[in-house]
Amino acid sequence: MTSAEDLRATVADQLTRARARSAALTDAVDDDDLVRQHSKLMSPLVWDLAHIGNQEELWLVRDVGGRDPVRSDIDELYDAFKHARAARPELPLLGPGEARGYVREVRDKVFDVLERTPLEGARLLDGAFAFGMIVQHEQQHDETMLATHQLRAGAPVLHAPPPPPGGPVGPPEVLVPGGPFTMGTSTEAWALDNERPAHQVVTAPFLIDTTPVTNGAYTEFIADGGYRDPRWWSPTGWEHVQSAGLTAPRFWSRSGDAWHRRAFGVTAPLDPAQPVVHVCFHEAEAYARWAGKRLPTEVEWEKAARFDPATGRSLRYPWGDDDPTPEHANLGQRHLSPAPVGAYPKGVSPLGVHQLVGDVWEWTSSDFRGYAGFEVFPYAEYSQVFFGGDHKVLRGGSFGTDPVAVRATFRNWDYPIRRQVFAGFRCARDASPEVARGAVEG
Ligand code: AVJ
Ligand code: FE
């Protein structure tokens, strides 16, 4: 059992780690760059910073702490539902200095609230959950700010060591047996509402790629005329690829026969062994059809990631129930790119699937909806307002996702045309009866 004091120390440490990352992302650029809009898809960095502070004020200072507002006059400016990202630069936002002062003032009060909030007994889940939710919220916006950095023009300002080298990955596909498994969670303390509750799902046997699709494999799709052949695209995808003029993943460029990729201001030859990143759902779907496969459903993705055939149990992570370490997965912005396939042998799932968590978010074929038994917690605007079929589910987290903000049950979502997310994909296919034989449970 975790004592209340251990929990308090863990929360304090996670708040501090998140803030160090927010500070690094916002201190890396000058004030002009902080208030500028680098892409219509993104907020100015200074909006994200004050929004992080405002959500923390709403949930921890006012709600959990019962304290007076710090700045109730700015709630409206930092309400994500009141102003679209494209309109945020025109708002009378707090300037860089004011925003930094504001988040500091809120954080000081939050540490005071944390000291005085009983985290034991019946209140443990409620009290601690609000802190966990806010830690995850800040880390999610940090990944969003990292995506803004990737869209920013100009000289590099972020630096990190390269990811570890690739390694052997075994066969290209593995068979996932048919039968039931437990999807979602009712016990993971900081799981968000859309990951709940745990429920049984039955799948047919299927094959799933051992690794995410690599740059090298993706260039073959391009070389084969994939972007010009309507056979591979859904009607919506084909319309989009033409109207948007897509010819390659975002940030790719060709010089002669060689592909290059720009990442955080540095243009370098494409690493054929790294997972492809910055593709939209339509590109992922088209590649899969070209390859004679399809995208996994999110049910299939989660089964491949969690199902342990030895026990029939669902694990917290592909490698087991232990929290992620740097040996398990490429998470936490330790590197500024996905790692080559095979770089994380300790992160492999029981069925032999690599790099499900970390490296790149993976598009699935599923629409974002609530599970049976879904209950809004703690507020409808976190996920429920996005249910309904406009968004596709992404799984597994990227190199820019902090370990506290991803689990094997974690569900991300975005519009199928979006490419600014650190998103790639892997393929799946139905198992033929011969392949499936002997793999069906029971
Ligand atoms: C889960 C990444 C889609 O950024 O829109 C941040 C997370 N929710 N603030 C988003 C979120 C509220 C969300 N995603
Ligand atoms: Fe937010």
Side-chain angles (χ1 to χ4, degrees), residues 51 85 137 140-141 144 379 382 412-413:
H51 167 81
R85 283 180 176 179
H137 181 259
Q140 286 175 330
H141 276 273
T144 300
Y379 65 116
Y382 183 77
N412 194 1
W413 65 91

Side-chain angles (χ1 to χ4, degrees), residues 316-397:
R316 294 179 67 214
Y317 297 97
W319 54 85
D321 293 334
D322 294 344
D323 289 338
T325 69
E327 300 221 297
H328 289 120
N330 183 8
L331 292 167
Q333 203 190 310
R334 295 193 314 271
H335 311 294
L336 289 172
S337 77
V341 296
Y344 294 94
K346 291 222 167 97
V348 177
S349 78
L351 292 165
V353 187
H354 287 245
Q355 284 158 298
L356 286 148
V357 167
D359 295 296
V360 289
W361 287 103
E362 299 182 21
W363 288 109
T364 72
S365 61
S366 300
D367 293 341
F368 186 49
R369 298 185 193 283
Y371 295 152
F374 170 84
E375 281 176 49
V376 164
F377 180 67
Y379 65 116
E381 286 75 20
Y382 183 77
S383 8
Q384 195 184 39
V385 298
F386 299 99
F387 294 162
D390 289 342
H391 298 84
K392 290 292 180 188
V393 173
L394 297 127
R395 290 301 203 104

Side-chain angles (χ1 to χ4, degrees), residues 58-67 113 117 123 126-127 130-131:
L58 288 171
W59 286 98
L60 298 182
V61 176
R62 296 188 213 169
D63 196 69
V64 176
R67 308 286 173 91
V113 170
T117 303
R123 295 199 51 193
D126 290 343
F131 284 97

Side-chain angles (χ1 to χ4, degrees), residues 42-393:
M42 311 306 278
S43 316
L45 292 166
V46 77
W47 186 92
D48 285 283
L49 182 62
H51 167 81
I52 286 168
N54 185 243
Q55 289 287 303
E56 187 168 318
E57 172 180 359
L58 288 171
W59 286 98
L60 298 182
V61 176
R62 296 188 213 169
D63 196 69
V64 176
R67 308 286 173 91
D68 289 340
V70 181
R71 289 283 306 256
S72 56
D73 58 314
I74 61 172
D75 290 354
E76 199 267 346
L77 285 177
Y78 296 102
D79 181 336
F81 293 94
K82 293 269 162 67
H83 310 282
R85 283 180 176 179
R88 291 174 190 167
E90 312 313 327
L91 299 171
L93 302 176
L94 301 187
E98 286 175 300
R100 290 187 175 108
Y102 172 60
V103 300
R104 197 175 315 121
E105 191 179 343
V106 169
R107 181 55 61 85
D108 287 347
K109 290 189 197 297
V110 162
F111 276 125
D112 196 55
V113 170
L114 180 60
E115 280 306 305
R116 290 159 204 264
T117 303
L119 296 178
E120 57 273 302
R123 295 199 51 193
L124 189 143
L125 193 65
D126 290 343
F129 182 80
F131 284 97
M133 183 182 76
I134 285 299
V135 165
Q136 291 181 75
H137 181 259
E138 181 158 359
Q139 290 286 2
Q140 286 175 330
H141 276 273
D142 288 345
E143 181 167 356
T144 300
M145 289 198 278
L146 189 66
T148 305
H149 271 271
Q150 167 67 339
L151 287 158
R152 175 185 163 272
V157 294
L158 299 177
H159 306 279
V169 295
E173 301 174 299
V174 301
L175 178 68
V176 181
F181 90 107
T182 302
M183 184 173 185
T185 176
S186 301
T187 52
E188 193 65 42
W190 287 3
L192 300 164
D193 59 0
N194 64 59
E195 299 166 66
R196 302 168 187 266
H199 56 288
Q200 290 266 306
V201 184
V202 176
T203 72
F206 62 96
L207 291 151
I208 192 161
D209 288 358
T210 312
T211 72
V213 170
T214 61
N215 288 328
Y218 200 86
T219 52
E220 291 174 33
F221 169 61
I222 300 176
D224 198 36
Y227 279 80
R228 300 187 304 274
D229 192 335
R231 271 185 301 168
W232 315 132
W233 303 77
S234 68
T236 319
W238 181 239
E239 200 176 290
H240 178 68
V241 74
Q242 291 182 294
S243 64
L246 305 186
T247 55
R250 186 139 194 197
F251 307 111
W252 283 31
S253 58
R254 199 210 286 267
S255 51
D257 270 353
W259 284 105
H260 287 69
R261 190 173 95 81
R262 192 177 85 248
F264 304 100
V266 180
T267 300
L270 200 64
D271 180 340
Q274 284 182 12
V276 67
V277 60
H278 297 300
V279 287
C280 70
F281 169 83
H282 297 303
E283 290 167 295
E285 195 185 43
Y287 174 96
R289 200 169 288 131
W290 169 80
K293 301 184 185 182
R294 57 174 174 79
L295 294 179
T297 64
E298 75 162 322
V299 172
E300 290 171 336
W301 189 97
E302 187 166 326
K303 188 169 186 180
R306 300 184 66 199
F307 183 65
D308 182 354
T311 61
R313 216 170 62 76
S314 283
L315 306 171
R316 294 179 67 214
Y317 297 97
W319 54 85
D321 293 334
D322 294 344
D323 289 338
T325 69
E327 300 221 297
H328 289 120
N330 183 8
L331 292 167
Q333 203 190 310
R334 295 193 314 271
H335 311 294
L336 289 172
S337 77
V341 296
Y344 294 94
K346 291 222 167 97
V348 177
S349 78
L351 292 165
V353 187
H354 287 245
Q355 284 158 298
L356 286 148
V357 167
D359 295 296
V360 289
W361 287 103
E362 299 182 21
W363 288 109
T364 72
S365 61
S366 300
D367 293 341
F368 186 49
R369 298 185 193 283
Y371 295 152
F374 170 84
E375 281 176 49
V376 164
F377 180 67
Y379 65 116
E381 286 75 20
Y382 183 77
S383 8
Q384 195 184 39
V385 298
F386 299 99
F387 294 162
D390 289 342
H391 298 84
K392 290 292 180 188
V393 173

